[in-house]
Amino acid sequence: MDQTTMLLALLPIFVIQIGLMIFALVDLIKNPNPNGPKWMWGIIIVVVNIIGPIVYFVVGRRNY
């Protein structure tokens, strides 16, 4: 597998990761009271890559 093929194979994962991160950060900014401090969720979303935004949507988001 050459580099071009590998980059093309990883491109969808990269796009999904960036999309989830942006969507989660925008939701975090708009959410008045998440479960826990906003700074903590911001760090989790950005640092933990694909899993961080998913954890935020499952655990950190309050729906009233």
Side-chain angles (χ1 to χ4, degrees), residues 19-29 45 52-54 56-57:
L20 272 173
M21 186 183 335
I22 290 170
F23 186 63
L25 287 172
V26 168
D27 187 75
L28 178 64
I29 290 168
I45 290 169
I54 294 171
Y56 167 72
F57 286 123

Side-chain angles (χ1 to χ4, degrees), residues 2 9 11 13 15 20 22-23 28 30 34 46 49 56-57 62:
D2 63 342
L11 186 63
I13 295 171
V15 170
L20 272 173
I22 290 170
F23 186 63
L28 178 64
K30 290 182 178 181
V46 172
N49 293 331
Y56 167 72
F57 286 123
R62 284 188 183 161

